[in-house]
Amino acid sequence: VSRSKGLRGTESQKELRIPSQFSQEQRIAMKEALKVFPTVFHTSFIRHEVIGNYSHLFTVKGSDPSMQPYMLLAHIDVVPAPDRGWDVPPFSGLERDGFIYGRGTLDNKNSVMAILQALELLLIRSYIPRRSFFIALGHDEEVSGINGAQKISALLQARGVQLAFLVDEGSFILDGFFPNLKKPFAMVSVSEKGAINLMLQVNMTPGHSSAPPKETSIGILAAAVSRLEQTPMPNMFGGGPLRTALEQLADEFPFPTNIILNNLWLFRPLVSRLMERNYITNSLVRTTTALTMFNAGVKVNVIPPVAEAIINFRIHPAQTVQEVLKLAKDIVADDRVQFHVLDAFDPLPVSSSDDQALGYQLLRQTIQSVFPEVNIVAPGTCIGNTDSRHYLNLTTSIYRFNPVYLQPQGFSSIHGINEKISVQAYETQVKFIFEFIQNGDTDMEPVPHLHEL
Ligand SMILES: CCCCCCCCCCCCCCCCCC(=O)N[C@@H](Cc1ccccc1)C(=O)O
Ligand SMILES: [Zn+2]
Ligand SMILES: [Zn+2]
């Protein structure tokens, strides 16, 4: 998408804009006061509700009821953090060398705090939005979102709300993910992979370990999961957001990659193989198979009656739950291994990233203004799952983007160790949301878009 396209506000709208410049005092307060947002909680046109005991829903009523509302989404829960391996304790929130360390600093307390902080800063400058918006802060995203996001979504549906678009976590400004691409680019995820949690179970007759049978439940199951791990699902690289992104990025690469990416009609097989070389880009071209749990055995000298394993599949947008299960059964090819699907859902619909897509264009406009050094804003597919999938009933326009730079090392720190965000990056995220909310007051309305997969 060229930088020249985008949204244009009227002259009067431009004049009314509050510049996103903060005093030194405000910048210090932004960092220090990571606690309360008094103005947010005491503004007459903002309603705060607690949903499902712990999730938060803010309804910010705009002055123009004819404008369709949007939603900003984040989650307050985090995954556990091992005590070992961190440079500072993971729940201390300590600052070191300009970075705030801690579990959730990138996933997703940064967004929780930056959204509320940006709104607070706008309100104390007497900002009144034209377009209404919701802020939904889920409390159980890391364990499925059923008691948080799903309840908020049901409540808003009951109230007859339809959203123009929604913005959640799920992608970043990516820096250093391709070895020969020196410049960072913004990836806005317009879809996310599907998932299956599959339990494999083998039941055998227990007995004394001194006279073992030729095969045990553990041996049979281990062989089955090993076959799954050793047999990757097919490479599905071809179309969709990934192809669009690579084509948009083509000219950012040096020769000969630029030629290759500009001619995917010819070089598609080569590119699909190159993508497999790295475990992150590999996850974009196929359904991934991750062995995540394995349980068996009750005592050192008992042949175990049951062995169980859990396989976590992340489904490529070009496949379905049923197709992946069929492939998995064919790979295991052993009737003694029982399949139990614990939970499963297909890849999410693809939201529009065209010139008429309000949410996407507002993100692009704000990225270009806050990160002028970023040349490319490209659509992508989120490899993980987010709370946003619970809002399909409210909108067809779901975008996943965090206005933060991410390097491969930072990616490993999410759910890993030494998760951290620089104070400067956090300030920039606040600035981004401060601008985004104002940009949301544009008159441009989205056109209906049919989902495609
Ligand atoms: C053109 C290609 C460029 C290279 C691509 C690089 C990709 C790096 C993108 C990094 C963004 C990853 C953000 C992932 C957010 C996922 C959030 C998450 O962890 N969600 C959980 C939710 C969940 C779901 C079901 C049960 C429990 C939890 C997850 O496991 O997916
Ligand atoms: Zn998250
Ligand atoms: Zn997470």
Side-chain angles (χ1 to χ4, degrees):
V1 177
S2 101
R3 285 179 62 99
S4 58
K5 289 186 206 153
L7 303 171
R8 262 181 237 108
T10 61
E11 280 313 303
S12 65
Q13 276 174 350
K14 281 182 193 155
E15 273 167 31
L16 284 171
R17 286 178 65 79
I18 305 166
S20 58
Q21 280 150 7
F22 312 127
S23 67
Q24 179 64 10
E25 215 173 70
Q26 283 177 327
R27 291 174 56 223
I28 291 170
M30 194 188 291
K31 176 177 61 118
E32 299 297 335
L34 290 174
K35 298 176 201 93
V36 286
F37 302 102
T39 324
V40 171
F41 288 94
H42 290 101
T43 291
S44 59
F45 56 82
I46 300 181
R47 176 180 180 188
H48 171 232
E49 295 164 278
V50 175
I51 314 291
N53 290 330
Y54 305 105
S55 287
H56 297 264
L57 173 66
F58 297 85
T59 304
V60 184
K61 203 158 184 239
S63 59
D64 185 346
S66 73
M67 296 175 94
Q68 200 178 7
Y70 65 94
M71 178 181 270
L72 301 177
L73 215 63
H75 66 88
I76 57 180
D77 59 321
V78 293
V79 292
D83 285 334
R84 294 233 202 111
W86 286 73
D87 292 345
V88 306
F91 293 101
S92 64
L94 278 176
E95 184 185 337
R96 184 178 283 187
D97 301 329
F99 284 83
I100 302 166
Y101 281 71
R103 174 57 83 232
T105 47
L106 289 171
D107 175 21
N108 184 239
K109 307 272 184 157
N110 58 320
S111 298
V112 170
M113 299 308 281
I115 292 169
L116 295 174
Q117 181 67 71
L119 180 57
E120 177 79 12
L121 285 168
L122 279 165
L123 293 170
I124 60 178
R125 292 213 235 166
S126 307
Y127 172 72
I128 300 174
R130 289 181 65 209
R131 187 189 293 273
S132 297
F133 61 98
F134 298 93
I135 298 170
L137 309 177
H139 71 272
D140 60 348
E141 189 273 349
E142 298 290 3
V143 286
S144 79
I146 284 175
N147 290 309
Q150 210 170 83
K151 287 204 166 119
I152 295 174
S153 154
L155 175 71
L156 292 181
Q157 185 175 8
R159 289 180 183 165
V161 172
Q162 280 293 302
L163 300 170
F165 64 87
L166 177 156
V167 181
D168 193 7
E169 65 167 344
S171 192
F172 293 88
I173 297 176
L174 301 172
D175 186 13
F177 283 83
F178 292 105
N180 52 357
L181 179 67
K182 298 290 171 247
K183 287 195 206 149
F185 68 100
M187 197 173 92
V188 175
S189 288
V190 292
S191 179
E192 60 189 54
K193 292 178 94 175
I196 306 173
N197 284 316
L198 175 68
M199 185 175 84
L200 299 187
Q201 194 179 57
V202 178
N203 293 281
M204 298 292 276
T205 312
H208 200 292
S209 64
S210 58
K214 194 162 168 277
E215 286 180 293
T216 59
S217 55
I218 291 181
I220 294 165
L221 185 63
V225 296
S226 177
R227 279 197 292 281
L228 281 169
E229 192 171 60
Q230 297 299 318
T231 319
M233 292 286 159
N235 185 326
M236 304 299 290
F237 176 65
L242 178 60
R243 187 183 181 128
T244 311
L246 291 176
E247 283 168 348
Q248 283 183 19
L249 284 167
D251 293 335
E252 300 280 302
F253 282 90
F255 178 83
T257 313
N258 55 346
I259 305 293
I260 291 170
L261 293 179
N262 271 313
N263 292 283
L264 283 176
W265 61 273
L266 179 62
F267 293 112
R268 192 182 65 79
L270 172 66
V271 174
S272 73
R273 278 204 306 282
L274 292 175
M275 295 288 285
E276 291 180 332
R277 284 190 179 179
N278 162 306
Y279 71 98
I280 296 175
T281 48
N282 177 58
S283 72
L284 296 169
V285 297
R286 59 164 37 92
T287 295
T288 51
T289 306
L291 316 183
T292 52
M293 295 173 82
F294 199 105
N295 283 311
V298 287
K299 198 169 181 301
V300 288
N301 57 355
V302 174
I303 298 297
V306 186
E308 288 174 354
I310 298 205
I311 327 288
N312 179 244
F313 295 98
R314 303 295 177 131
I315 306 172
H316 186 276
Q319 287 180 318
T320 63
V321 169
Q322 289 315 318
E323 286 165 357
V324 172
L325 286 174
K326 164 92 175 62
L327 285 166
K329 277 198 177 122
D330 291 347
I331 293 166
V332 168
D334 187 337
D335 288 340
R336 294 170 299 177
V337 181
Q338 295 170 18
F339 277 51
H340 302 281
V341 176
L342 302 182
D343 49 84
F345 53 90
D346 284 326
L348 278 292
V350 178
S351 301
S352 172
S353 54
D354 69 20
D355 289 350
Q356 300 302 312
L358 177 63
Y360 192 85
Q361 293 305 328
L362 286 172
L363 283 169
R364 202 158 66 81
Q365 177 191 19
T366 317
I367 291 166
Q368 285 172 357
S369 118
V370 177
F371 302 97
E373 71 284 7
V374 171
N375 288 339
I376 304 286
V377 178
T381 300
C382 184
I383 55 176
N385 296 114
T386 69
D387 263 353
S388 69
R389 73 182 189 281
H390 298 299
Y391 292 88
L392 291 171
N393 52 336
L394 302 186
T395 182
T396 54
S397 302
I398 294 180
Y399 303 102
R400 303 150 189 90
F401 178 68
N402 261 335
V404 174
Y405 274 81
L406 188 77
Q407 283 89 22
Q409 199 189 0
F411 176 67
S412 309
S413 77
I414 298 175
H415 292 201
I417 56 171
N418 282 327
E419 188 179 350
K420 61 178 189 278
I421 188 168
S422 73
V423 175
Q424 182 269 327
Y426 176 67
E427 283 180 19
T428 307
Q429 186 170 5
V430 173
K431 179 182 165 77
F432 183 95
I433 298 164
F434 188 96
E435 296 223 348
F436 185 85
I437 291 173
Q438 292 189 76
N439 290 339
D441 287 336
T442 177
D443 283 325
M444 180 184 159
E445 287 294 334
V447 291
H449 169 72
L450 294 177
H451 276 150
E452 66 218 8
L453 271 180

Short mmCIF file of all heavy atoms in Angstrom, two decimals, residues 75 107 141-144 169-172 174 177-178 185 187 195 197 242 245-246 249 275 280-281 283-284 312 314 343 345 379 382-386 389 406 411 414-415, ligand 1:
data_model
loop_
_atom_site.label_atom_id
_atom_site.label_comp_id
_atom_site.label_asym_id
_atom_site.label_seq_id
_atom_site.Cartn_x
_atom_site.Cartn_y
_atom_site.Cartn_z
N HIS A 75 -5.60 -7.17 27.53
CA HIS A 75 -5.91 -8.09 28.63
C HIS A 75 -4.98 -7.86 29.81
O HIS A 75 -3.80 -7.53 29.64
CB HIS A 75 -5.91 -9.56 28.17
CG HIS A 75 -4.58 -10.10 27.74
ND1 HIS A 75 -3.67 -10.67 28.61
CD2 HIS A 75 -4.00 -10.17 26.51
CE1 HIS A 75 -2.61 -11.08 27.94
NE2 HIS A 75 -2.78 -10.78 26.67
N ASP A 107 3.04 -8.18 26.96
CA ASP A 107 1.86 -9.04 26.74
C ASP A 107 1.04 -9.09 28.01
O ASP A 107 1.20 -10.02 28.79
CB ASP A 107 2.36 -10.43 26.31
CG ASP A 107 1.23 -11.44 26.17
OD1 ASP A 107 0.07 -11.02 26.01
OD2 ASP A 107 1.51 -12.66 26.24
N GLU A 141 -7.58 -13.87 29.09
CA GLU A 141 -7.16 -14.13 27.71
C GLU A 141 -6.22 -15.31 27.64
O GLU A 141 -6.28 -16.13 26.72
CB GLU A 141 -6.46 -12.87 27.14
CG GLU A 141 -6.16 -12.94 25.65
CD GLU A 141 -4.84 -13.61 25.28
OE1 GLU A 141 -4.01 -13.86 26.18
OE2 GLU A 141 -4.64 -13.91 24.10
N GLU A 142 -5.33 -15.41 28.62
CA GLU A 142 -4.30 -16.47 28.57
C GLU A 142 -4.87 -17.86 28.82
O GLU A 142 -4.17 -18.85 28.68
CB GLU A 142 -3.18 -16.18 29.58
CG GLU A 142 -2.41 -14.87 29.32
CD GLU A 142 -1.54 -14.93 28.07
OE1 GLU A 142 -1.55 -15.94 27.36
OE2 GLU A 142 -0.85 -13.93 27.79
N VAL A 143 -6.14 -17.91 29.23
CA VAL A 143 -6.78 -19.22 29.40
C VAL A 143 -8.11 -19.26 28.65
O VAL A 143 -9.07 -19.86 29.12
CB VAL A 143 -6.99 -19.57 30.90
CG1 VAL A 143 -5.68 -19.94 31.56
CG2 VAL A 143 -7.69 -18.44 31.64
N SER A 144 -8.13 -18.58 27.50
CA SER A 144 -9.26 -18.70 26.56
C SER A 144 -10.23 -17.55 26.47
O SER A 144 -10.96 -17.44 25.48
CB SER A 144 -10.05 -19.99 26.81
OG SER A 144 -10.91 -19.78 27.92
N GLU A 169 -4.26 -6.79 20.69
CA GLU A 169 -2.86 -7.19 20.57
C GLU A 169 -2.71 -8.19 19.42
O GLU A 169 -3.70 -8.61 18.82
CB GLU A 169 -2.43 -7.89 21.87
CG GLU A 169 -3.18 -9.20 22.07
CD GLU A 169 -2.61 -10.10 23.15
OE1 GLU A 169 -1.47 -9.90 23.58
OE2 GLU A 169 -3.33 -11.03 23.56
N GLY A 170 -1.47 -8.59 19.11
CA GLY A 170 -1.31 -9.68 18.15
C GLY A 170 -0.27 -9.44 17.08
O GLY A 170 0.05 -10.36 16.34
N SER A 171 0.24 -8.21 16.96
CA SER A 171 1.36 -7.99 16.05
C SER A 171 2.08 -6.72 16.48
O SER A 171 1.63 -6.01 17.38
CB SER A 171 0.89 -7.91 14.61
OG SER A 171 2.02 -7.97 13.77
N PHE A 172 3.19 -6.43 15.80
CA PHE A 172 4.07 -5.35 16.24
C PHE A 172 4.70 -4.68 15.03
O PHE A 172 4.43 -5.04 13.89
CB PHE A 172 5.20 -5.94 17.11
CG PHE A 172 4.75 -6.51 18.42
CD1 PHE A 172 4.35 -7.84 18.52
CD2 PHE A 172 4.75 -5.73 19.57
CE1 PHE A 172 3.95 -8.37 19.74
CE2 PHE A 172 4.35 -6.26 20.79
CZ PHE A 172 3.95 -7.58 20.87
N LEU A 174 7.82 -5.00 13.27
CA LEU A 174 8.76 -6.12 13.29
C LEU A 174 10.12 -5.69 12.77
O LEU A 174 10.24 -5.07 11.71
CB LEU A 174 8.20 -7.27 12.46
CG LEU A 174 6.83 -7.79 12.94
CD1 LEU A 174 6.26 -8.80 11.95
CD2 LEU A 174 6.94 -8.40 14.33
N PHE A 177 13.30 -9.76 11.61
CA PHE A 177 12.75 -11.10 11.46
C PHE A 177 13.22 -11.76 10.15
O PHE A 177 13.08 -12.96 9.98
CB PHE A 177 11.23 -11.09 11.57
CG PHE A 177 10.76 -10.98 13.00
CD1 PHE A 177 10.67 -9.74 13.62
CD2 PHE A 177 10.46 -12.11 13.74
CE1 PHE A 177 10.27 -9.62 14.95
CE2 PHE A 177 10.06 -12.01 15.06
CZ PHE A 177 9.96 -10.77 15.67
N PHE A 178 13.68 -10.94 9.20
CA PHE A 178 14.29 -11.49 7.98
C PHE A 178 15.74 -11.02 7.98
O PHE A 178 16.00 -9.81 8.11
CB PHE A 178 13.59 -10.95 6.72
CG PHE A 178 12.19 -11.44 6.56
CD1 PHE A 178 11.12 -10.61 6.82
CD2 PHE A 178 11.95 -12.74 6.12
CE1 PHE A 178 9.82 -11.07 6.66
CE2 PHE A 178 10.64 -13.20 5.97
CZ PHE A 178 9.58 -12.36 6.23
N PHE A 185 9.24 -3.03 9.68
CA PHE A 185 7.95 -2.76 9.03
C PHE A 185 6.83 -3.09 10.02
O PHE A 185 7.01 -3.88 10.93
CB PHE A 185 7.79 -3.58 7.74
CG PHE A 185 7.67 -5.06 7.96
CD1 PHE A 185 6.43 -5.67 7.93
CD2 PHE A 185 8.79 -5.84 8.20
CE1 PHE A 185 6.31 -7.05 8.14
CE2 PHE A 185 8.68 -7.21 8.41
CZ PHE A 185 7.44 -7.81 8.38
N MET A 187 3.41 -4.77 10.91
CA MET A 187 2.48 -5.80 10.44
C MET A 187 1.20 -5.71 11.26
O MET A 187 1.24 -5.81 12.49
CB MET A 187 3.11 -7.18 10.59
CG MET A 187 2.40 -8.23 9.77
SD MET A 187 3.25 -9.83 9.79
CE MET A 187 2.41 -10.59 11.16
N ALA A 195 -6.91 -23.29 15.92
CA ALA A 195 -6.18 -24.11 16.89
C ALA A 195 -6.95 -25.39 17.22
O ALA A 195 -8.18 -25.43 17.13
CB ALA A 195 -5.92 -23.31 18.17
N ASN A 197 -6.56 -28.37 20.39
CA ASN A 197 -5.87 -29.09 21.46
C ASN A 197 -6.39 -30.51 21.41
O ASN A 197 -7.57 -30.77 21.66
CB ASN A 197 -6.16 -28.45 22.82
CG ASN A 197 -5.35 -27.17 22.98
OD1 ASN A 197 -4.17 -27.13 22.64
ND2 ASN A 197 -5.98 -26.12 23.46
N LEU A 242 -0.14 -13.16 3.95
CA LEU A 242 1.32 -13.34 3.90
C LEU A 242 1.86 -12.99 2.53
O LEU A 242 2.88 -12.29 2.40
CB LEU A 242 1.69 -14.77 4.29
CG LEU A 242 3.18 -15.10 4.24
CD1 LEU A 242 3.98 -14.18 5.17
CD2 LEU A 242 3.44 -16.56 4.57
N ALA A 245 1.79 -9.31 2.08
CA ALA A 245 2.85 -8.66 2.87
C ALA A 245 4.20 -8.79 2.16
O ALA A 245 4.96 -7.82 2.04
CB ALA A 245 2.91 -9.27 4.26
N LEU A 246 4.51 -10.00 1.69
CA LEU A 246 5.81 -10.21 1.03
C LEU A 246 5.92 -9.37 -0.24
O LEU A 246 6.98 -8.83 -0.55
CB LEU A 246 6.02 -11.70 0.73
CG LEU A 246 6.22 -12.58 1.97
CD1 LEU A 246 6.32 -14.05 1.58
CD2 LEU A 246 7.47 -12.16 2.76
N LEU A 249 6.61 -5.90 0.74
CA LEU A 249 7.96 -5.74 1.29
C LEU A 249 9.05 -5.90 0.23
O LEU A 249 10.22 -5.55 0.48
CB LEU A 249 8.20 -6.77 2.39
CG LEU A 249 7.53 -6.50 3.73
CD1 LEU A 249 7.59 -7.74 4.61
CD2 LEU A 249 8.23 -5.33 4.44
N MET A 275 10.94 -19.93 3.58
CA MET A 275 10.19 -19.58 4.79
C MET A 275 10.28 -20.69 5.85
O MET A 275 10.17 -20.43 7.05
CB MET A 275 8.70 -19.34 4.46
CG MET A 275 8.42 -18.15 3.57
SD MET A 275 8.64 -16.55 4.36
CE MET A 275 7.19 -16.45 5.37
N ILE A 280 10.07 -19.17 13.12
CA ILE A 280 8.99 -18.17 13.18
C ILE A 280 8.31 -18.07 11.80
O ILE A 280 7.09 -18.16 11.69
CB ILE A 280 9.51 -16.80 13.65
CG1 ILE A 280 10.02 -16.92 15.09
CG2 ILE A 280 8.39 -15.76 13.58
CD1 ILE A 280 10.67 -15.67 15.64
N THR A 281 9.13 -17.90 10.75
CA THR A 281 8.51 -17.80 9.42
C THR A 281 7.87 -19.15 9.03
O THR A 281 6.84 -19.18 8.34
CB THR A 281 9.52 -17.33 8.36
OG1 THR A 281 10.72 -18.09 8.48
CG2 THR A 281 9.84 -15.87 8.51
N SER A 283 6.18 -20.95 10.94
CA SER A 283 4.84 -20.99 11.54
C SER A 283 3.81 -20.25 10.69
O SER A 283 2.62 -20.41 10.88
CB SER A 283 4.87 -20.40 12.95
OG SER A 283 5.03 -18.99 12.87
N LEU A 284 4.31 -19.42 9.75
CA LEU A 284 3.38 -18.67 8.90
C LEU A 284 2.94 -19.46 7.67
O LEU A 284 1.95 -19.12 7.03
CB LEU A 284 4.04 -17.35 8.44
CG LEU A 284 4.36 -16.36 9.54
CD1 LEU A 284 5.24 -15.25 9.01
CD2 LEU A 284 3.10 -15.79 10.14
N ASN A 312 -0.79 -29.49 20.52
CA ASN A 312 -1.38 -28.18 20.22
C ASN A 312 -1.07 -27.84 18.77
O ASN A 312 0.07 -27.59 18.41
CB ASN A 312 -0.78 -27.15 21.19
CG ASN A 312 -1.30 -25.74 20.95
OD1 ASN A 312 -0.54 -24.86 20.59
ND2 ASN A 312 -2.57 -25.53 21.15
N ARG A 314 -1.66 -25.28 15.53
CA ARG A 314 -2.10 -23.94 15.12
C ARG A 314 -2.36 -24.01 13.63
O ARG A 314 -1.43 -24.25 12.84
CB ARG A 314 -1.02 -22.91 15.45
CG ARG A 314 -0.62 -22.87 16.92
CD ARG A 314 -1.78 -22.41 17.79
NE ARG A 314 -1.43 -22.43 19.21
CZ ARG A 314 -1.62 -21.44 20.04
NH1 ARG A 314 -2.20 -20.34 19.61
NH2 ARG A 314 -1.29 -21.55 21.30
N ASP A 343 -10.49 -28.94 22.53
CA ASP A 343 -11.16 -27.76 21.96
C ASP A 343 -10.53 -27.45 20.62
O ASP A 343 -9.38 -27.82 20.36
CB ASP A 343 -11.12 -26.54 22.91
CG ASP A 343 -9.74 -26.28 23.43
OD1 ASP A 343 -8.97 -25.63 22.72
OD2 ASP A 343 -9.42 -26.74 24.55
N PHE A 345 -10.96 -24.64 16.98
CA PHE A 345 -11.67 -23.66 16.16
C PHE A 345 -10.88 -23.40 14.88
O PHE A 345 -9.65 -23.52 14.85
CB PHE A 345 -11.96 -22.34 16.92
CG PHE A 345 -10.75 -21.71 17.55
CD1 PHE A 345 -9.98 -20.78 16.86
CD2 PHE A 345 -10.37 -22.04 18.85
CE1 PHE A 345 -8.86 -20.21 17.44
CE2 PHE A 345 -9.25 -21.48 19.44
CZ PHE A 345 -8.50 -20.55 18.74
N PRO A 379 -0.45 -6.27 5.87
CA PRO A 379 -1.35 -7.16 6.61
C PRO A 379 -0.65 -8.47 6.96
O PRO A 379 0.29 -8.87 6.28
CB PRO A 379 -2.49 -7.40 5.62
CG PRO A 379 -1.84 -7.26 4.28
CD PRO A 379 -0.74 -6.27 4.42
N CYS A 382 -1.96 -13.50 12.61
CA CYS A 382 -1.40 -13.68 13.95
C CYS A 382 -1.22 -15.18 14.19
O CYS A 382 -2.15 -15.97 13.97
CB CYS A 382 -2.33 -13.07 14.99
SG CYS A 382 -1.65 -13.16 16.65
N ILE A 383 -0.03 -15.56 14.66
CA ILE A 383 0.24 -16.99 14.85
C ILE A 383 -0.32 -17.50 16.18
O ILE A 383 -0.47 -18.70 16.36
CB ILE A 383 1.75 -17.31 14.73
CG1 ILE A 383 2.56 -16.44 15.70
CG2 ILE A 383 2.22 -17.12 13.30
CD1 ILE A 383 4.05 -16.77 15.70
N GLY A 384 -0.62 -16.58 17.09
CA GLY A 384 -1.27 -16.97 18.35
C GLY A 384 -2.72 -16.56 18.30
O GLY A 384 -3.21 -16.06 17.29
N ASN A 385 -3.40 -16.77 19.40
CA ASN A 385 -4.82 -16.39 19.44
C ASN A 385 -5.05 -15.29 20.47
O ASN A 385 -4.33 -15.20 21.45
CB ASN A 385 -5.69 -17.61 19.76
CG ASN A 385 -5.59 -18.64 18.67
OD1 ASN A 385 -5.08 -19.73 18.86
ND2 ASN A 385 -6.03 -18.26 17.49
N THR A 386 -6.02 -14.46 20.17
CA THR A 386 -6.27 -13.29 21.01
C THR A 386 -7.75 -13.24 21.42
O THR A 386 -8.59 -13.94 20.85
CB THR A 386 -5.94 -12.00 20.23
OG1 THR A 386 -6.91 -11.84 19.19
CG2 THR A 386 -4.55 -12.04 19.62
N ARG A 389 -11.07 -12.84 19.02
CA ARG A 389 -11.90 -13.84 18.31
C ARG A 389 -13.28 -13.99 18.95
O ARG A 389 -14.18 -14.57 18.35
CB ARG A 389 -11.17 -15.18 18.23
CG ARG A 389 -11.08 -15.96 19.52
CD ARG A 389 -10.28 -17.24 19.29
NE ARG A 389 -10.31 -18.15 20.41
CZ ARG A 389 -9.59 -18.00 21.51
NH1 ARG A 389 -8.77 -16.96 21.64
NH2 ARG A 389 -9.68 -18.87 22.50
N LEU A 406 9.40 -4.76 17.85
CA LEU A 406 9.70 -6.10 18.37
C LEU A 406 10.80 -6.74 17.55
O LEU A 406 10.71 -6.83 16.32
CB LEU A 406 8.44 -6.98 18.31
CG LEU A 406 8.58 -8.34 19.01
CD1 LEU A 406 8.49 -8.18 20.52
CD2 LEU A 406 7.51 -9.33 18.54
N PHE A 411 10.46 -11.21 20.94
CA PHE A 411 9.42 -12.21 20.70
C PHE A 411 9.61 -13.40 21.64
O PHE A 411 8.66 -13.91 22.24
CB PHE A 411 9.47 -12.65 19.23
CG PHE A 411 8.51 -13.75 18.91
CD1 PHE A 411 7.14 -13.54 18.95
CD2 PHE A 411 8.97 -15.02 18.57
CE1 PHE A 411 6.25 -14.56 18.66
CE2 PHE A 411 8.08 -16.04 18.28
CZ PHE A 411 6.72 -15.82 18.33
N ILE A 414 8.29 -13.00 25.22
CA ILE A 414 6.84 -13.07 25.47
C ILE A 414 6.52 -14.51 25.86
O ILE A 414 6.81 -15.44 25.11
CB ILE A 414 6.05 -12.63 24.21
CG1 ILE A 414 6.38 -11.18 23.86
CG2 ILE A 414 4.56 -12.81 24.41
CD1 ILE A 414 5.75 -10.68 22.56
N HIS A 415 6.00 -14.71 27.04
CA HIS A 415 5.80 -16.03 27.66
C HIS A 415 7.16 -16.65 28.05
O HIS A 415 7.18 -17.80 28.49
CB HIS A 415 5.04 -17.00 26.76
CG HIS A 415 3.60 -16.63 26.53
ND1 HIS A 415 2.65 -17.52 26.14
CD2 HIS A 415 2.95 -15.45 26.63
CE1 HIS A 415 1.48 -16.92 26.01
NE2 HIS A 415 1.65 -15.64 26.31
C1 LIG B 1 5.94 -11.34 6.82
C2 LIG B 1 6.28 -12.16 8.01
C3 LIG B 1 7.07 -11.53 9.06
C4 LIG B 1 7.56 -12.34 10.19
C5 LIG B 1 6.53 -12.66 11.18
C6 LIG B 1 6.97 -12.56 12.56
C7 LIG B 1 5.88 -12.92 13.47
C8 LIG B 1 6.08 -12.38 14.84
C9 LIG B 1 4.82 -11.85 15.38
C10 LIG B 1 4.81 -11.85 16.83
C11 LIG B 1 3.48 -11.58 17.38
C12 LIG B 1 3.00 -12.65 18.27
C13 LIG B 1 1.91 -12.19 19.14
C14 LIG B 1 1.14 -13.35 19.61
C15 LIG B 1 0.02 -12.96 20.50
C16 LIG B 1 -0.62 -14.20 20.98
C17 LIG B 1 -1.25 -14.06 22.30
C18 LIG B 1 -1.30 -15.42 22.99
O1 LIG B 1 -0.30 -15.93 23.44
N1 LIG B 1 -2.46 -16.04 23.11
C19 LIG B 1 -2.68 -17.35 23.67
C20 LIG B 1 -4.16 -17.44 23.89
C21 LIG B 1 -4.71 -18.74 24.29
C22 LIG B 1 -5.52 -19.39 23.40
C23 LIG B 1 -6.12 -20.58 23.75
C24 LIG B 1 -5.88 -21.13 25.01
C25 LIG B 1 -5.07 -20.47 25.90
C26 LIG B 1 -4.48 -19.26 25.53
C27 LIG B 1 -2.23 -18.41 22.69
O2 LIG B 1 -1.79 -19.46 23.16
O3 LIG B 1 -2.33 -18.22 21.47
#
